[in-house]
Amino acid sequence: MATIRLGDVAPDFTVDSSMGMINLYDYLGDSWGILFSHPADFTPVCTTELGTAAKFKDEFDKRNVKMLALSVDGAASHKEWIKDINEVQNTEVNFPILADEDRKVSDLYDMIHPNANNTLTVRSVFIIAPDKTVKLILTYPASTGRNFYELVRVIDSLQLTAYHKVATPANWKNGDDVVVSPAIATEDAKKIFSKGVEEIKPYLRMTPQPNL
């Protein structure tokens, strides 16, 4: 089982889901994608996560990001679980939950960590760019729920840095100043970034976010 690393092409797959059969590449099309796994259906932390994900769908839609969840249970189980999620989280689950009873996708994406639990998936997150390369991987233990504000923040960073020659500093959020790429000389940076460049050190130059 190969480990997926940043920059690798995300493996394609076709599996059943709470919304019918889904092929990853067809589903994503030209969009970005976020794939996140859950240890099992009818588990407490996952119930809060999927409800939260549904509430964040508008934020992901604004960023052209399609959501996919995954659990090692079947599609019929997912549909029953969704009723609970909608009830207790006061929302409507509005994206597919992949059925992975044979662990085909879990194995493709190395989502099962045997030293933690040899049957359940850990809380993996994969962010996939329109060219189908993997741009971010996060792995949480089953006991720790994810922070969806952070997932939106890293998508903002990934999309900004994909199209502009900048990086984002610690605790950056959309609208904050960004770091000029080290590959660009300061004089060239001043021509590229019309809002101005502040040189703190020769290797640390800041500029206002260029896409605002």
Side-chain angles (χ1 to χ4, degrees), residues 183-198:
I184 303 172
T186 298
E187 287 311 307
D188 294 334
K190 288 175 179 174
K191 296 171 190 167
I192 294 169
F193 300 107
S194 57
K195 296 176 184 177
V197 173
E198 178 190 3

Side-chain angles (χ1 to χ4, degrees), residues 10-22:
D12 196 13
F13 55 77
T14 301
V15 293
D16 199 8
S17 80
S18 58
M19 294 183 173
M21 295 300 293
I22 283 187

Side-chain angles (χ1 to χ4, degrees), residues 68-79:
L68 278 171
L70 173 144
S71 168
V72 293
D73 294 306
S77 172
H78 292 350
K79 289 173 185 173

Side-chain angles (χ1 to χ4, degrees), residues 17-72:
S17 80
S18 58
M19 294 183 173
M21 295 300 293
I22 283 187
N23 172 265
L24 176 67
Y25 285 11
D26 289 346
Y27 176 76
L28 294 182
D30 295 328
S31 299
W32 289 69
I34 182 166
L35 169 63
F36 46 102
S37 62
H38 296 271
D41 291 0
F42 301 101
T43 49
V45 176
C46 300
T47 300
T48 67
E49 286 189 316
L50 285 167
T52 302
K55 292 171 184 175
F56 270 74
K57 187 172 186 293
D58 286 348
E59 291 300 317
F60 288 123
D61 285 349
K62 278 186 221 170
R63 293 160 174 82
N64 191 30
V65 179
K66 292 185 176 176
M67 291 190 290
L68 278 171
L70 173 144
S71 168
V72 293

